[in-house]
Amino acid sequence: MADNLSEALKKLKITAVDSTADSLEGCLDCLLQALAQNNTETSEKIQKSGILQVFASLLTPQSSCTAKVANIIAEVAKNEFMRNPCVEAGLIPPLVQLLNCKDQEVLLQTGRALGNICYDSHEGRSAVDHAGGAQIVIDHLRSLCSKTDPANEKLLTVFCGMLMNYSNENDTLQSQLINMGVIPTLVKLLGIHCQNAALTEMCLVAFGNLAELETSKEQFAYTNIAEELVKLFKKQIEHDKKEMIFEVLAPLAENDIIKLQLVEAGLVECLLEIVQKTVDSDKEEDIAELKTASDLMVLLLLGDESMQKLFEGGKGSVFQRVLLWIPSNNHQLQLAGALAIANFARNDGNCIHMVDNGIVQKLMDLLDRHVEDGNVTVQHAALSALRNLAIPVVNKAKMLSAGVAEAVLKFLRSEMPPVQFKLLGTLRMLIDAQAEAAEQLGKNVKLVERLVEWCEAKDHAGVMGESNRLLSALIRHSKSKDVIRTIVQSGGIKHLVTMATSEHVIMQNEALVALALIAALELATAEKDLESAQLVQILHRLLSDERSAPEIKYNSMVLICALMGSELLHKEVQRLAFLDVVSKLRSHENKTVAQQASLTEQRLAVES
C-alpha cells in the first residue's frame, strides 16, 4: 500500500497538468484508500510530497475529478496539522468558487473540506471569510431549505456544520452570519426537517453557538424558534437530546420576548413534567435534568409578562405546583421554589396575595430546616423571597406578627456574605415605618453588635452598605433613645458618620437623618463619638462641595443646628467658620436649601 501511495503521489505530481481523467482518477482513488486505512500517516506523506499545491489547479468545475479532490482535502483537514498547509497551498479560493456549481456531490465534498479546514483554525476561517464563502453557503441553505430528499438533507447538514465550524466561539464571525440573516433560515430548516436527527442536531449546535450573542436574541424573537424548540423537546426521550435543547433554551430565555413565547408554546408544562419524573430519582442524569428544568423555570419567571401570565392572580396551576416545591425534601426543588416565589413577588399585588394565602409560613418552615444543615443557596433564596414580600406596606405588620424577624435573626451567625446581605435587606424592609419592631430590634444588643462588625466588612461592599443602612433605619423608624444608646454603646456612631460621605445620595441622606435624631434625642451620650468621628469637619465638607445634592445640604444644616446643643461640638463649629459657607447658600437655587441657610445663619450668629 505504501509503495502504491508513493507511486500515486509521484504520478499525480507529474501528470496533474496534462494527464487524462482516467489516470488521475486512479491516483486519487489510491489516495482515498490510503486515507481510509491510516489518515494521519497518509496526510503527513501528502504534506511532504507538496501535492497540496497541485490540488489547487485540479479544483475546477469542469473536471470530473473535482469531487474526489475535495473529498481528499476534507479527509486530510481532519488533522489539525494539515489545516494551515491547506490554507497556505491556496486551496480556499478555488474551494469557495466551487460552491457556485450545481453538482450535488461536488457541493457536498466542498462543504466538508471548508468545514474541516475551518475547525479551530483562525487561518482557515479568515481565508473563507476573505473569499466570501459564508454568504454563498447561507444562500444555498435558503434555496435548498424546502427539499426533504435524503441527498439534499445530507448536503444541508454539511453546510450547517461548515457554518458552525466557521463561526464557533468567534463573536465577529457569528455577528457576520447573523447580519447575513442565518437565523430565520436555520429556524425554518429546523421546522421542515425535524424528522432528520443529524440535521436537527446540527441546527441545535448552531443555535447554541449563536444564542449567546445579544443581537441574535433580537432576531430569534422574530422567528417561531420557541414553538419549534418546544415541539422538538416534547418528542425527545434521550437525555442527551434534551440536554442539547436545554443548552439553546437557557441563553434564549434570557430575552423577555422569547420568555413569553416559550411560556405560550407550553415549555412550562414540559418542565413541570420533567420535575415530576425526576424528583425521586438518584440517577445522575435525572438529577442533572431536574436541576436544568427547575433553573429554566425560574429564569422564565424573571420576565414581567411571562411571570404574570403564570401567576394568573395566584390561581395559576404553575404557581400552585411551584408552591409544592418549597416543602419538598429535594434541595434543588426547595431552592427553585423559593427563587420562583421571589420572582413572583415582584409587584405589590402578587406579594399581598401570597402573604394573605400563607406563603410566609411555608418560607419560614423552609428556613427552619436550613438553620443547622445550612444550605447556603436555599437560605439565600428563601430570604430573597421574604425580602420581596416585605416591600408592600400592608405586608410588613402581618409578616412581623407571623414571626419573620425572629426567623431571620436565627441566621445572624452566618459567615456567608450572600446570606448576610439578604438577611439585612429583609430586616430593613420589615421595619420600614414600623416603630415598635424597629425599637425591639434596635435594642437587641447581639444584632446591633453584629451590624457594627459587618459595617467593617470591606471585602463585601454589599454587606457593608446594608449594615449601615439597617443601623440608620433602626434609629429613623424607632426614634427611640434606648436604640440610640444601644448603638452608641456598640460603637456604631462612627459608621453612621462615615455613611454620610457615601457616594450614594440615598445612603448619605439616611445617615444624616439618623444623626440628626441622635443629636436631638441623645446628644450628650453620643457627642464624644461624634467628635472623634470628625462629624463637624465632614458636614463642613458636604456644605462646601458644589456637587452635594440639595437634600444633603439641607440635612447637613439641620444637623449643624442640632449639634449646637453640645459645648464640645459647638467649639468645632465655631473653629471651622461655618457662617461663610452657610451665608453663600442663602442664594441657592433650591428654595428649601436657601430658607434653611437663612435659619442656620441666624442660629450660628446668635450662638457665636
Side-chain angles (χ1 to χ4, degrees):
M1 188 70 205
D3 293 345
N4 288 355
L5 176 62
S6 306
E7 193 62 38
L9 287 169
K10 265 187 213 161
K11 201 169 174 187
L12 258 179
K13 223 167 175 187
I14 300 159
T15 60
V17 186
D18 54 4
S19 68
T20 62
D22 290 349
S23 57
L24 264 181
E25 291 259 7
C27 297
L28 296 171
D29 286 339
C30 181
L31 258 60
L32 282 168
Q33 220 176 334
L35 284 163
Q37 288 187 357
N38 190 331
N39 192 314
T40 311
E41 200 179 302
T42 307
S43 295
E44 281 170 356
K45 286 184 177 166
I46 288 173
Q47 188 191 357
K48 282 177 190 153
S49 73
I51 201 77
L52 285 177
Q53 281 77 0
V54 175
F55 284 165
S57 63
L58 295 175
L59 290 168
T60 61
Q62 296 80 21
S63 165
S64 58
C65 303
T66 304
K68 279 186 179 165
V69 176
N71 187 358
I72 290 168
I73 297 168
E75 288 300 317
V76 300
K78 287 177 177 175
N79 301 289
E80 194 182 343
F81 66 87
M82 287 300 286
R83 287 170 203 149
N84 264 7
C86 285
V87 176
E88 285 158 10
L91 297 179
I92 299 291
L95 282 168
V96 168
Q97 279 309 306
L98 286 176
L99 289 171
N100 293 307
C101 86
K102 298 279 182 278
D103 184 300
Q104 203 157 18
E105 182 61 18
V106 171
L107 286 174
L108 184 78
Q109 299 304 343
T110 304
R112 286 184 62 234
L114 288 168
N116 289 352
I117 292 170
C118 285
Y119 186 79
D120 257 357
S121 163
H122 172 68
E123 291 75 15
R125 291 169 181 184
S126 294
V128 173
D129 178 22
H130 192 68
Q135 184 67 67
I136 304 171
V137 171
I138 290 175
D139 292 342
H140 274 303
L141 289 177
R142 269 196 206 109
S143 64
L144 301 170
C145 187
S146 307
K147 298 180 180 171
T148 53
D149 58 284
N152 188 59
E153 289 193 323
K154 194 174 178 187
L155 183 56
L156 288 169
T157 306
V158 165
F159 279 158
C160 283
M162 181 250 153
L163 289 179
M164 195 178 70
N165 287 354
Y166 171 70
S167 65
N168 189 27
E169 291 181 1
N170 185 314
D171 287 1
T172 312
L173 295 178
Q174 285 176 357
S175 297
Q176 180 198 73
L177 295 183
I178 290 164
N179 294 334
M180 288 174 178
V182 75
I183 286 174
T185 306
L186 287 174
V187 175
K188 199 172 166 193
L189 268 181
L190 182 69
I192 294 170
H193 303 273
C194 55
Q195 302 304 326
N196 184 304
L199 184 48
T200 298
E201 205 164 298
M202 213 46 100
C203 286
L204 288 173
V205 179
F207 290 148
N209 285 349
L210 297 169
E212 299 291 344
L213 286 187
E214 214 39 60
T215 47
S216 81
K217 289 172 193 160
E218 290 157 22
Q219 283 215 14
F220 275 119
Y222 286 105
T223 69
N224 62 338
I225 184 76
E227 204 183 311
E228 293 298 354
L229 287 174
V230 173
K231 212 186 327 175
L232 191 64
F233 192 82
K234 286 175 178 170
K235 291 180 192 163
Q236 302 311 318
I237 300 158
E238 292 168 47
H239 170 74
D240 294 352
K241 293 276 163 47
K242 284 186 197 167
E243 203 171 338
M244 276 188 91
I245 302 172
F246 272 140
E247 279 169 16
V248 181
L249 287 170
L252 286 180
E254 287 167 13
N255 177 287
D256 282 359
I257 298 170
I258 300 174
K259 280 188 183 80
L260 188 59
Q261 291 170 351
L262 289 167
V263 167
E264 286 171 344
L267 178 62
V268 173
E269 289 71 15
C270 297
L271 298 177
L272 289 171
E273 204 178 310
I274 287 176
V275 167
Q276 207 169 344
K277 281 180 183 167
T278 55
V279 65
D280 298 319
S281 170
D282 47 12
K283 272 200 234 158
E284 213 168 296
E285 62 181 42
D286 286 344
I287 293 167
E289 214 167 282
L290 173 75
K291 179 175 171 20
T292 311
S294 53
D295 284 351
L296 189 49
M297 183 80 184
V298 171
L299 181 57
L300 291 174
L301 293 173
L302 277 172
D304 288 338
E305 281 190 75
S306 49
M307 176 271 286
Q308 217 44 49
K309 191 174 178 67
L310 295 170
F311 189 67
E312 288 180 58
K315 308 273 188 295
S317 62
V318 173
F319 171 64
Q320 296 299 330
R321 291 276 284 279
V322 165
L323 286 181
L324 301 174
W325 293 0
I326 296 169
S328 145
N329 289 321
N330 184 301
H331 281 189
Q332 174 56 35
L333 270 199
Q334 293 170 1
L335 169 64
L339 287 172
I341 296 304
N343 285 345
F344 279 125
R346 283 209 318 280
N347 65 49
D348 284 8
N350 292 5
C351 289
I352 292 163
H353 181 281
M354 287 192 280
V355 168
D356 288 348
N357 284 276
I359 190 65
V360 171
Q361 194 55 54
K362 285 186 172 71
L363 289 167
M364 291 200 307
D365 291 347
L366 176 61
L367 275 175
D368 240 14
R369 294 166 73 179
H370 288 277
V371 175
E372 295 311 323
D373 89 336
N375 184 308
V376 175
T377 51
V378 176
Q379 292 171 0
H380 180 262
L383 289 167
S384 294
L386 287 170
R387 180 200 173 279
N388 289 2
L389 291 165
I391 293 172
V393 178
V394 294
N395 280 357
K396 297 179 196 294
K398 292 174 187 171
M399 289 175 73
L400 284 164
S401 61
V404 172
E406 293 75 10
V408 168
L409 285 171
K410 289 176 186 171
F411 295 90
L412 262 187
R413 298 193 300 264
S414 174
E415 292 303 329
M416 305 307 288
V419 173
Q420 296 166 354
F421 181 72
K422 286 297 176 188
L423 172 151
L424 293 162
T426 307
L427 291 176
R428 187 166 63 77
M429 283 301 156
L430 280 171
I431 63 163
D432 192 2
Q434 306 296 310
E436 198 182 315
E439 181 164 9
Q440 207 177 342
L441 287 172
K443 291 192 294 192
N444 180 329
V445 178
K446 270 187 185 164
L447 168 64
V448 174
E449 284 176 349
R450 195 72 160 131
L451 290 183
V452 171
E453 181 190 328
W454 286 341
C455 281
E456 289 167 7
K458 293 198 169 41
D459 293 345
H460 302 286
V463 172
M464 195 162 87
E466 276 292 345
S467 302
N468 279 302
R469 292 189 77 183
L470 182 53
L471 215 47
S472 152
L474 291 169
I475 296 169
R476 287 184 295 110
H477 298 303
S478 71
K479 299 181 178 59
S480 152
K481 291 185 170 200
D482 287 342
V483 170
I484 293 168
R485 280 196 285 268
T486 306
I487 288 172
V488 172
Q489 282 155 13
S490 303
I493 296 296
K494 64 180 179 205
H495 297 299
L496 290 170
V497 174
T498 306
M499 183 180 166
T501 64
S502 165
E503 60 196 31
H504 306 290
V505 174
I506 192 164
M507 285 176 71
Q508 281 185 297
N509 230 356
E510 287 172 359
L512 291 169
V513 172
L515 289 164
L517 283 165
I518 292 169
L521 297 169
E522 274 296 328
L523 188 53
T525 314
E527 64 178 355
K528 283 198 173 119
D529 286 359
L530 293 170
E531 186 211 18
S532 60
Q534 300 191 316
L535 173 62
V536 176
Q537 288 90 321
I538 284 168
L539 292 173
H540 189 275
R541 208 160 65 230
L542 289 174
L543 288 171
S544 310
D545 189 344
E546 286 175 12
R547 292 164 304 177
S548 293
E551 59 267 42
I552 300 302
K553 290 193 185 313
Y554 174 83
N555 282 325
S556 295
M557 288 188 280
V558 169
L559 183 48
I560 284 294
C561 294
L563 295 177
M564 302 298 275
S566 153
E567 201 177 324
L568 186 66
L569 298 166
H570 188 164
K571 279 179 189 162
E572 286 287 315
V573 172
Q574 284 176 317
R575 190 175 61 77
L576 282 169
F578 265 83
L579 261 170
D580 300 350
V581 186
V582 172
S583 59
K584 280 180 193 163
L585 292 174
R586 276 198 345 226
S587 56
H588 195 277
E589 60 188 1
N590 182 298
K591 279 187 185 157
T592 317
V593 172
Q595 281 171 344
Q596 186 58 41
S598 296
L599 292 171
T600 307
E601 189 181 35
Q602 287 166 23
R603 181 80 194 267
L604 289 168
V606 170
E607 300 276 355
S608 61

